[in-house]
Amino acid sequence: MKKIPEINSNLINRDTLIKEYKKAKNKRSNWENLWEDCIKYSSPERYGSFYNSFQEANKNNVDIYDSTAICGVENLVSTIASSLTPSYEKWFNLSLGNITVEDETTKANIEKDIEKIEKTISENISLSNFATEIQQCYFDLVTLGTSCLFFEENQIGKKSAFRFKSVPLNQLTIDEDSEGNVNKIYRETSITVENLQLRFPEFFEENGLSNLATKFKEERVKLIEAVVPNMKEIGQQGFVYTAFIEDEKNILTPKKSAKEDNILVLKEGVLQSSPFICFRWLKTSSEVYGRSPVMKVLPDIKTANKVVELTLQNATIAISGVWQAEDDGVINFNNIDLSPGSIIPKAIGSQGLSPLQTGANFNVSQLVLSDLRNNINKAFYTDVLGKPEESKQMTATEVSARTMELYQTLTAVFSRLQTELLTPLIERAVSILKRRGEIANLIIDGNIISLKYSSPIMNVNNDREIANIQRFISSLSILGEGQLSNIIDTQKLINHLAEITSIPKGLLKTA
């Protein structure tokens, strides 16, 4: 068998990569117990898949008696999906940046290219599985505080050039740079040798491992995919992708000494943009992983679940009762039937069966439970969004007011999501479409192309600006209509309003 090649030192040092991966994984271990509790109590249906084994999950699973947190998670996830990346409308806009173009023909051509880029990206996202996979990512975000979307190029000939996959947090290990940006991502999965050969056929052919792969095809190995910054030269752009396995059972390698590891590098290469888009809810400066709304009220969620459990037990006692009887050696407890209408004989002079009075107080438990549920609902912003069971039809004013309140409450969260999710998502889409030759080679940098977001929650600031313009014009109306036209450039005002309200420029007449 040929010697297994080492990783190309021109891209990244092998020992450094393994060392950084293990260091990041040690940091991750501090979070695992917290993640387990969050999944158990707020998304129990996902607990089995989180551990990739329903049998393993059921060993330590808990019974859920209170669904307040479960409903809160679903309500908040739906709100984020419809407010940030709605599937029924375009949630981003591209426009000409701050660059000055004197020639009108050149400017018109650039704007035409920008419009085509915007349309192409939007169509490919709409035709892909983005809506379904980002929904799963939002569940991880709300429940665990950290989420990851795998964004790869689809095969030629498919309806969309994009393909998405939600990466479960139990497979994810991340690290960040000095500025707090997630720049190193490691994905660990358990895979059979047979599937490993299907994914990396060149490695098996070049190293003569096809026979071993057939012999041990059902054996499982640990596959790690790493995407780290390209540090070959200072200022070098892009990322280095490395796929390697830990061959602990020596399936594909001869037995090594105890001093040597069993790391096999399968593939490596340079990427222009990272296919892993990792984003967080909120985080502290000293932590890498995010913190979620579920974490904030996890003690209340656990307590509410226990209170409901004890209340149900107490209700069972109240309904069926606890009874006492004199044990006179004659009464047969096995023959006692407490069903309605039954007759229970008793000895003369004995008390027979009598109910046992308990000290349980339903009113106290309901007061405690009410406070706990209020705290949980506040953590999921149910008081802002409206409770799911509310069936009344809200007016447009009420919808706008609630959207404004939600934006003000979650400004920090949406700002982080814009930086860590939306912008990398569009940049990755542009990178893929450029490589396929489907769009022009223009850069989204704020100078040539400016990127703005037009989702409902991001339009709150636009609504404020429109309201300010309306108040300004209204205050100038006392000068008369003739004076107003001398003060305001009507055409520029129309163009500005069209831009912030995402009205296509083709619908406007040129001045």
Side-chain angles (χ1 to χ4, degrees), residues 281-331:
W281 183 264
L282 286 176
K283 63 177 288 292
T284 63
S285 58
S286 60
E287 296 175 341
V288 176
Y289 295 91
R291 292 193 170 271
S292 67
V294 171
M295 293 179 185
K296 183 167 61 175
V297 287
L298 186 58
D300 289 337
I301 295 173
K302 289 183 175 181
T303 305
N305 192 68
K306 192 65 178 179
V307 169
V308 174
E309 179 185 359
L310 295 177
T311 301
L312 292 174
Q313 292 177 357
N314 196 18
T316 303
I317 294 174
I319 293 172
S320 61
V322 178
W323 303 83
Q324 57 184 352
E326 294 179 351
D327 189 3
D328 55 4
V330 177
I331 186 171

Side-chain angles (χ1 to χ4, degrees), residues 163-351:
R163 184 169 57 198
F164 299 91
K165 177 66 178 176
S166 172
V167 181
L169 193 54
N170 63 320
Q171 300 178 2
L172 194 68
T173 301
I174 64 174
D175 205 353
E176 59 183 14
D177 56 21
S178 58
E179 298 179 357
N181 301 315
V182 177
N183 66 336
K184 298 176 182 178
I185 298 178
Y186 311 89
R187 182 184 183 183
E188 178 183 315
T189 53
S190 176
I191 186 173
T192 63
V193 175
E194 182 179 21
N195 289 332
L196 188 70
Q197 185 181 18
L198 293 175
R199 285 197 59 183
F200 305 97
E202 299 87 357
F203 173 82
F204 284 83
E205 292 176 3
E206 292 174 359
N207 296 282
L209 298 176
S210 299
N211 292 333
L212 283 177
T214 303
K215 182 179 179 181
F216 299 102
K217 65 179 182 179
E218 297 298 330
E219 293 289 340
R220 305 189 75 87
V221 294
K222 188 187 298 181
L223 171 64
I224 297 98
E225 297 174 273
V227 177
V228 299
N230 187 357
M231 302 300 292
K232 180 181 177 182
E233 298 177 2
I234 297 177
Q236 182 74 30
Q237 298 295 322
F239 295 83
V240 175
Y241 169 84
T242 308
F244 60 93
I245 62 171
E246 292 185 12
D247 190 20
E248 298 174 349
K249 298 180 181 179
N250 299 108
I251 298 172
L252 302 177
T253 56
K255 190 173 182 179
K256 297 184 177 182
S257 64
K259 296 181 180 180
E260 295 179 303
D261 57 34
N262 297 77
I263 303 298
L264 293 181
V265 178
L266 306 176
K267 187 177 181 180
E268 62 175 349
V270 177
L271 305 173
Q272 292 182 354
S273 58
S274 174
F276 293 98
I277 301 176
C278 186
F279 50 101
R280 296 158 292 185
W281 183 264
L282 286 176
K283 63 177 288 292
T284 63
S285 58
S286 60
E287 296 175 341
V288 176
Y289 295 91
R291 292 193 170 271
S292 67
V294 171
M295 293 179 185
K296 183 167 61 175
V297 287
L298 186 58
D300 289 337
I301 295 173
K302 289 183 175 181
T303 305
N305 192 68
K306 192 65 178 179
V307 169
V308 174
E309 179 185 359
L310 295 177
T311 301
L312 292 174
Q313 292 177 357
N314 196 18
T316 303
I317 294 174
I319 293 172
S320 61
V322 178
W323 303 83
Q324 57 184 352
E326 294 179 351
D327 189 3
D328 55 4
V330 177
I331 186 171
N332 187 351
F333 296 102
N334 293 327
N335 293 332
I336 295 177
D337 182 12
L338 296 179
S339 60
S342 61
I343 300 176
I344 304 174
K346 73 182 186 69
I348 299 175
S350 68
Q351 294 183 357

Side-chain angles (χ1 to χ4, degrees), residues 3-44:
K3 181 181 178 182
I4 304 299
E6 294 291 337
I7 190 170
N8 189 345
S9 59
N10 292 329
L11 294 180
I12 194 169
N13 182 273
R14 171 188 182 275
D15 294 333
T16 301
L17 177 67
I18 304 300
K19 182 179 179 180
E20 290 181 347
Y21 165 64
K22 292 183 176 180
K23 182 180 178 181
K25 193 172 181 181
N26 287 334
K27 293 180 182 179
R28 178 187 182 276
S29 62
N30 299 326
W31 291 83
E32 291 175 355
N33 290 334
L34 179 59
W35 292 340
E36 182 179 355
D37 283 348
C38 290
I39 287 286
K40 277 182 180 180
Y41 288 92
S42 65
S43 298

